[in-house]
Amino acid sequence: MRRFPLALSALLLLSLSAAQAAGLRAFDVPAGPDGPAIRGVVWSPCAETPHAIDGRGGRTFFGVSDCPIVGAKLPLIVISHGRRGWLGGHHDTAAALADAGFMVLTFNHPTDTERDTSGTDSLAVTVERPADIKRAIDYALQGWRDAAHIDAGRIGLYGFSWGGYTGLAAIGGEPDLRKSLPNCQTSSLRACKELEGGEKPSGPVVHDPRIKAAIIVDPFPVLFFAAENLKAVTIPIQLWSSDPAQNGDGLSGCCAAAINDRLPSKPEFHLVADAKHFSFLATCTPEETAKMATICTDAPGFDRVTFHQRFHAAAIAFFKTHLGEAGTR
């Protein structure tokens, strides 16, 4: 990763200070008949100066805990993390969207997080992950203490990797989850092995028509989505792909070209030259890079800080176009 004249954390803090900050507050969906408890965080517009916050395990957020929310009836963006990810994996994207006037919900998908991988790659999560999206939105609009700040008619979604699969399913995709599915018979994916062993999904995939626009990044796995399985996906999509030339190391999630060709309506497609799959994750501090080199290290010459500035600007413009102006700061 390119070195900068100031510590990366200081650069991020300075840029956030110039543009106000994101407020952070707890968001916890209680367990119920529809599923287990979901732990989350809501990022919101905030008028106070940001500071570093311990995000867990040496990771750093920048924002203000329990900052008063600026604005009312704001659009809501729900972020779905990737395989074995966590609610903080896209914290800089969440903060950028919140600073632009959006409410942003990030949460851990039960059984497919850093701390609980019991469902990772399984047939169960192909159904449970989209259901998590609906449950989280339900609670955000109906049970959460600050629900009044959200405009229920303006909801968007951001999905990365397995979160990209999750997003496509939530917005109308019907994954083909059957035995003898082409390409699944020879796949090492746990869900494929379970399908070939005669297992079936625990229930139907849940869609959420409240989602009006979506950003999908490197969706994985795509083998469950032929073009006919995506014919009901009609909302506006901004589709991002990492560079196939930088993803020859077996990492899941690259790339988005196949889905771009299968969607019934042409998305706004971005292929990012020299980006690795993990280049879409939050920019790392030097301390994080030392602990998580695989996730934090980009291709030689690729500047994740600069890319995320462009990426966030495009994401904000997309959501403002399709969900309306986020609100006055």
Side-chain angles (χ1 to χ4, degrees):
M1 182 178 292
R2 180 180 292 182
R3 296 294 179 185
F4 296 90
L6 294 176
L8 180 56
S9 56
L11 283 175
L12 289 172
L13 189 57
L14 285 171
S15 64
L16 282 166
S17 297
Q20 303 299 319
L24 289 78
R25 58 194 60 225
F27 179 94
D28 296 302
V29 182
D34 295 334
I38 295 176
R39 176 175 177 255
V41 170
V42 169
W43 307 72
S44 61
C46 167
E48 298 182 13
T49 301
H51 56 266
I53 299 173
D54 181 7
R56 196 192 73 194
R59 264 78 72 90
T60 303
F61 295 161
F62 295 92
V64 181
S65 296
D66 294 317
C67 182
I69 298 171
V70 176
K73 295 298 180 183
L74 303 172
L76 172 69
I77 310 300
V78 181
I79 294 183
S80 178
H81 65 70
R83 177 180 185 269
R84 296 184 178 180
W86 72 302
L87 60 82
H90 303 276
H91 66 80
D92 64 339
T93 300
L97 288 167
D99 187 60
F102 296 91
M103 299 284 279
V104 184
L105 168 60
T106 67
F107 65 88
N108 290 336
H109 284 284
T111 77
D112 187 18
T113 67
E114 285 183 334
R115 294 189 173 184
D116 183 353
T117 62
S118 59
T120 296
D121 295 338
S122 71
L123 187 58
V125 298
T126 63
V127 173
E128 292 170 357
R129 271 176 157 266
D132 294 340
I133 298 293
K134 183 179 185 303
R135 290 181 60 217
I137 294 174
D138 285 345
Y139 188 72
L141 298 179
Q142 301 168 12
W144 188 49
R145 60 174 180 167
D146 292 305
H149 286 276
I150 299 172
D151 185 343
R154 298 194 291 164
I155 296 177
L157 180 144
Y158 173 100
F160 168 76
S161 195
W162 260 97
Y165 162 90
T166 306
L168 289 170
I171 63 177
E174 290 286 357
D176 191 349
L177 302 174
R178 59 184 169 89
K179 187 176 181 179
S180 301
L181 181 68
N183 298 322
C184 202
Q185 292 172 287
T186 57
S187 173
S188 60
L189 194 67
R190 177 179 167 187
C192 286
K193 293 184 179 299
E194 291 171 345
L195 286 170
E196 293 307 305
E199 295 187 40
K200 296 182 179 181
S202 58
V205 171
V206 176
H207 310 303
D208 198 325
R210 294 171 297 188
I211 301 169
K212 305 302 183 186
I215 294 178
I216 304 294
V217 180
D218 275 359
F220 179 87
V222 298
L223 58 85
F224 297 127
F225 290 118
E228 63 184 32
N229 303 105
L230 295 169
K231 60 185 179 181
V233 177
T234 58
I235 67 171
I237 293 176
Q238 189 180 76
L239 183 65
W240 292 80
S241 177
S242 55
D243 190 336
Q246 295 294 341
N247 288 279
D249 53 5
L251 297 175
S252 66
C254 178
C255 298
I259 289 297
N260 183 42
D261 294 335
R262 298 173 195 174
L263 288 167
S265 298
K266 187 173 179 61
E268 178 188 322
F269 181 56
H270 300 263
L271 174 62
V272 185
D274 296 325
K276 293 185 177 182
H277 180 59
F278 293 135
S279 297
F280 287 91
L281 292 177
T283 304
C284 300
T285 64
E287 293 77 16
E288 291 168 339
T289 300
K291 294 180 179 179
M292 302 176 290
T294 299
I295 290 175
C296 293
T297 303
D298 297 294
F302 186 87
D303 185 337
R304 193 182 298 196
V305 172
T306 299
F307 165 60
H308 275 227
Q309 290 173 345
R310 293 188 289 109
F311 175 49
H312 295 160
I316 290 166
F318 172 79
F319 281 131
K320 283 188 174 183
T321 296
H322 297 290
L323 299 180
E325 284 294 324
T328 303
R329 291 301 305 273

